[in-house]
Amino acid sequence: MNSQKIDLLSLLPAELEEFLISLGEPKYRAKQLFTQMHRGVSPADMTNIGKGTKQKLDELAYYALPSIRRKLVSAIDGTVKYLFELSDGNSVESVVMKYKHGNTICVSSQVGCRMGCAFCASTIGGKLRDLAPSEILGQVLVAQNDTGERISNIVMMGIGEPLDNYKNVIKFLRLVGCEDGMNIGYRHISLSTCGLVDKIDALAKEDMPITLSISLHASDDETRSSIMPVNKRWNIAALLDACRRYYQSTGRRISFEYTLISGKNDSVAAAERLARLLNKALRPSKSDSFPIHVNLIPVNPVAETEFSATGKQAVQKFAKTLEDNGIRATVRRTLGADINASCGQLRREDEKNKS
Ligand code: SAH
């Protein structure tokens, strides 16, 4: 790999400037490079940069974008799924979804995942490595150039636990918001986490008003621990406390993801318990207006697991029970149903075909 060389696409404007000055280059060179690199142009192909500069850059640094190993386009709704190959041969997935309010990309943050959620395809082979900021950004850049349409929203809900790759994810968020770069602001970004409480607290202090999405998936500790090992480290009460702190310091709403698994967490009693739990933890007094939104997702069956999805009627009943108890609930619209668009599955398929 290029580990000894500087990863140009992971550098913030000020860092790039410092690096170029150390090479004896003028300050304005940094802006020239940054602007073009963040449009997908490699320094080697830049026409406004001299041969000498290119040579110096080539000796000490590199610029790499993920390449498209596979691409699937949904005939139903135009959702595009990419299997990207990274420079070390590993692969990750991204999905571009077309909504009325703009194109949204779901990006990966790690190669694999070490969180061990029982229903998730991404964690089956464990975590191989973290992605660099440039590798997360590269997914957005290449997808935007490939589709030829501006991507205006980002969700960090692909392969990996973003808060388990905290430093690189924070840097990615700063880079993607740069005016001379992709210019996607914090308000257009959501980050989904299985609940690393220490990192949620750290994020609250970053002055980065992104939307936080919490993968809750259960309304009692016993059930949650049985499908999400992270719950043994931070239980539901600790997680919801952190959510309240996050809201208090950022003012950003928090949404909860709840994957409905048949016979596991989808009863009316579970819905009632969930409503009680969220109301009690997040709206302790009657006047409290903490906005609570639960996104219900019938589990996507993964070949290696025994879980099956809750039926349509029971999903509606679960949603209504939440609504009746003052919790806004929506059922996640399935996009790209014909292209296996839920994450981790394409990479799994590819790995299995290789072996
Ligand atoms: N690690 C992060 C983000 C990645 S997963 C997290 O845990 O939030 C994005 C969402 O998809 C999470 O809510 C995750 O729990 C959910 N998910 C994973 N596998 C799924 C499956 N088979 N069916 C439905 N949702 C799934």
Side-chain angles (χ1 to χ4, degrees):
M1 267 254 304
N2 292 309
S3 56
Q4 262 68 293
K5 290 190 173 185
I6 287 180
D7 172 6
L8 290 171
L9 194 60
S10 284
L11 298 182
L12 289 164
E15 294 171 331
L16 186 61
E17 199 176 289
E18 196 183 322
F19 174 59
L20 286 164
I21 289 171
S22 79
L23 298 184
E25 292 290 325
K27 213 168 144 180
Y28 68 83
R29 189 80 75 219
K31 189 166 168 154
Q32 280 182 327
L33 269 166
F34 191 93
T35 310
Q36 294 180 86
M37 287 195 303
H38 286 247
R39 282 185 174 71
V41 183
S42 160
D45 297 328
M46 291 178 191
T47 49
N48 54 351
I49 288 180
K51 227 172 159 183
T53 311
K54 287 182 183 177
Q55 231 160 29
K56 279 190 271 183
L57 285 172
D58 192 46
E59 271 165 33
L60 300 168
Y62 69 96
Y63 174 84
L65 290 176
S67 62
I68 301 172
R69 179 134 100 206
R70 279 183 75 189
K71 174 182 171 183
L72 302 174
V73 183
S74 166
I76 305 171
D77 51 43
T79 297
V80 188
K81 175 142 194 170
Y82 293 98
L83 183 69
F84 282 122
E85 182 165 327
L86 306 169
S87 45
D88 65 351
N90 275 309
S91 56
V92 290
E93 294 173 35
S94 319
V95 184
V96 177
M97 295 156 288
K98 305 190 169 176
Y99 294 111
K100 281 195 204 88
H101 62 268
N103 295 329
T104 297
I105 188 167
C106 173
V107 293
S108 296
S109 56
Q110 296 178 316
V111 182
C113 182
R114 58 177 183 151
M115 294 297 128
C117 298
F119 45 83
C120 181
S122 304
T123 198
I124 292 168
K127 181 187 96 168
L128 299 187
R129 70 173 176 86
D130 289 330
L131 294 191
S134 60
E135 291 174 317
I136 311 175
L137 184 75
Q139 298 168 55
V140 190
L141 239 171
V142 174
Q144 177 165 287
N145 284 351
D146 182 67
T147 57
E149 290 178 35
R150 173 163 162 82
I151 289 175
S152 50
N153 297 281
I154 299 173
V155 294
M156 302 207 72
M157 286 193 187
I159 298 171
E161 166 50 50
L163 296 186
D164 186 41
N165 182 16
Y166 188 81
K167 235 178 74 206
N168 291 350
V169 164
I170 294 294
K171 195 152 191 205
F172 156 70
L173 294 172
R174 294 197 199 287
L175 282 167
V176 82
C178 285
E179 255 179 51
D180 292 331
M182 302 212 70
N183 198 12
I184 303 177
Y186 298 135
R187 280 164 205 283
H188 298 274
I189 301 176
S190 298
L191 182 150
S192 180
T193 177
C194 64
L196 304 183
V197 164
D198 56 343
K199 299 297 183 341
I200 294 174
D201 282 333
L203 187 64
K205 296 193 185 92
E206 298 281 355
D207 195 21
M208 245 179 201
I210 59 172
T211 302
L212 200 56
S213 231
I214 302 288
S215 297
L216 196 55
H217 306 327
S219 56
D220 65 274
D221 280 321
E222 196 186 332
T223 308
R224 192 165 193 267
S225 294
S226 76
I227 50 176
M228 300 182 72
V230 68
N231 198 66
K232 294 174 193 154
R233 173 73 178 84
W234 288 288
N235 66 14
I236 295 177
L239 177 56
L240 295 180
D241 271 350
C243 290
R244 200 175 46 221
R245 291 193 294 272
Y246 185 83
Y247 177 68
Q248 277 164 352
S249 60
T250 63
R252 297 295 292 159
R253 74 184 171 86
I254 293 179
S255 62
F256 295 90
E257 309 286 312
Y258 195 101
T259 295
L260 288 160
I261 306 171
S262 178
K264 187 84 187 163
N265 61 0
D266 62 346
S267 65
V268 170
E272 285 168 350
R273 200 166 46 229
L274 178 61
R276 226 178 305 128
L277 181 78
L278 293 175
N279 278 321
K280 195 165 158 239
L282 303 173
R283 297 165 170 162
S285 78
K286 276 225 158 63
S287 60
D288 221 318
S289 60
F290 192 110
I292 305 177
H293 181 205
V294 175
N295 227 321
L296 299 169
I297 319 151
V299 74
N300 214 303
V302 172
E304 289 87 341
T305 67
E306 77 273 31
F307 300 119
S308 56
T310 301
K312 233 181 180 157
Q313 261 185 348
V315 172
Q316 291 308 330
K317 217 163 157 185
F318 198 97
K320 185 166 184 313
T321 308
L322 292 178
E323 294 273 356
D324 288 347
N325 287 281
I327 307 281
R328 261 189 66 208
T330 48
V331 180
R332 167 87 51 88
R333 197 156 61 96
T334 319
L335 288 176
D338 53 334
I339 54 166
N340 214 354
S342 91
C343 66
Q345 306 212 29
L346 199 59
R347 176 170 168 262
R348 284 290 307 153
E349 206 179 286
D350 197 63
E351 298 280 304
K352 273 193 276 186
N353 289 343
K354 272 197 281 183
S355 55

